[in-house]
Amino acid sequence: MTSPDSVHDLVLDKDGVRLTVEDTVATVTLTNPAKRNAQSPALWRALTHAGRSLPGTVRVVVLRGEGKSFSAGLDRQAFTPEGFDGEPSFLDLARGSDAELDAAIAEYQEAFTWWRRSDLVTIAAVRGHAIGAGFQLALACDLRVVAPDVQFAMRETSLGLVPDLAGTHPLVSLVGYARALEICATGRSVHAEEAERIGLANLVVPEAELDDAARDLASALLAAPRDAVIETKALLQGAAERSYDQQLIAERAAQARRLRDLAGLGD
């Protein structure tokens, strides 16, 4: 069997992130297995760049990690006085103004927000550790396919921090407030069976089949016309913020657009 990236066109390969594209499917791979794909500001910038570099033909993005772990979270070097070469340490950031600190965190969050774009469906293929920032990166995607050895955990509170990389909203949406609070406040691990049962995982497959399962799901998502999927995703994303009657209105408007397009009467 070929590797997940062997038939793809290479678009980006830097700072622990590789982006490859094959027609309508892009694959983003975290490429630092020696450090269990630990994350850094440079990696976050590379992820942001990957999102901005996607060709317009791409409809589905698969996110995966090389090695035995999806991502073990933030590289603890960020908390040392030295930080990373050419980067301010988190301790340096903490000494800045509120506006500077807010701007820095907002920049980091960009790596986690583009996965929810309405014109894409994103799939995280998760094995092993998905801790802290790794958990939040998996949560950034629309769908999650996991191996039996997966360990989701939000460990920020144990460090005296909060999860701030766009993970709290999807976590609450998936599992509800009470369970999200319990998972975050205790920092405990959520394993595959529970993840599937409570809605964190769409599918659990044997580890050897993980990449194939993600590709099969990508193929299934491509079966419907692109515009119908885009409209449907937008409807579902906004459902929680709308009342029942507002959702009915949104459904009618979306269907009217689809019918006009199918009839050749679109703008």
Side-chain angles (χ1 to χ4, degrees), residues 24 52-53 73 83 104-106 132-133 143 145 155 160-161 172 177 179 183 191 209 248 253 258:
T24 53
R52 295 172 179 172
S53 302
I105 296 173
L143 308 172
V145 179
R155 297 277 170 79
L161 302 170
V172 172
Y177 160 75
R179 194 178 297 275
I183 289 171
H191 299 278
E209 300 174 15
L248 294 179
R258 297 305 313 126

Side-chain angles (χ1 to χ4, degrees), residues 46-63:
L47 284 174
T48 299
H49 188 191
R52 295 172 179 172
S53 302
L54 292 175
T57 55
V58 170
R59 293 180 53 186
V60 177
V61 182
V62 176
L63 171 64

Side-chain angles (χ1 to χ4, degrees), residues 3 44 59 73 89 164 175 241 261:
S3 71
W44 295 334
R59 293 180 53 186
S89 73
D164 65 336
V175 306
E241 283 73 42
D261 282 346

Side-chain angles (χ1 to χ4, degrees), residues 105-259:
I105 296 173
E107 179 185 356
Y108 301 155
Q109 288 175 332
E110 287 186 51
F112 295 77
T113 55
W114 65 263
W115 305 89
R116 295 278 169 163
R117 281 169 38 182
S118 62
D119 61 325
L120 303 171
V121 179
T122 54
I123 305 166
V126 189
R127 58 167 57 85
H129 298 94
I131 310 297
F135 189 9
Q136 293 185 79
L137 189 55
L139 286 167
C141 293
D142 297 307
L143 308 172
R144 280 151 297 282
V145 179
V146 308
D149 68 345
V150 73
Q151 296 180 51
F152 291 118
M154 204 74 84
R155 297 277 170 79
E156 283 81 356
T157 52
S158 66
L159 300 173
L161 302 170
V162 301
D164 65 336
L165 296 172
T168 56
H169 190 283
L171 182 61
V172 172
S173 297
L174 288 167
V175 306
Y177 160 75
R179 194 178 297 275
L181 176 61
E182 179 256 330
I183 289 171
C184 291
T186 64
R188 71 174 179 86
S189 293
V190 179
H191 299 278
E193 184 278 330
E194 181 185 4
E196 186 175 35
R197 175 167 49 82
I198 67 177
L200 282 176
N202 296 86
L203 185 65
V204 179
V205 299
E207 194 277 336
E209 300 174 15
L210 183 63
D211 289 320
D212 286 340
R215 288 196 295 274
D216 288 346
L217 179 55
S219 296
L221 291 166
L222 294 170
R226 180 173 196 166
D227 288 344
V229 175
I230 290 173
E231 292 275 13
T232 300
K233 180 174 176 177
L235 273 174
L236 296 174
Q237 284 181 316
E241 283 73 42
R242 300 187 191 104
S243 68
Y244 181 78
D245 288 339
Q246 289 170 333
Q247 186 71 359
L248 294 179
I249 294 170
E251 288 177 359
R252 295 198 297 270
Q255 193 70 303
R257 287 191 293 272
R258 297 305 313 126
L259 288 170

Side-chain angles (χ1 to χ4, degrees), residues 11-26:
V11 178
L12 172 74
D13 193 358
K14 62 179 295 187
D15 296 324
V17 174
R18 182 169 65 244
L19 168 64
T20 55
V21 176
E22 184 184 21
D23 193 17
T24 53
V25 178

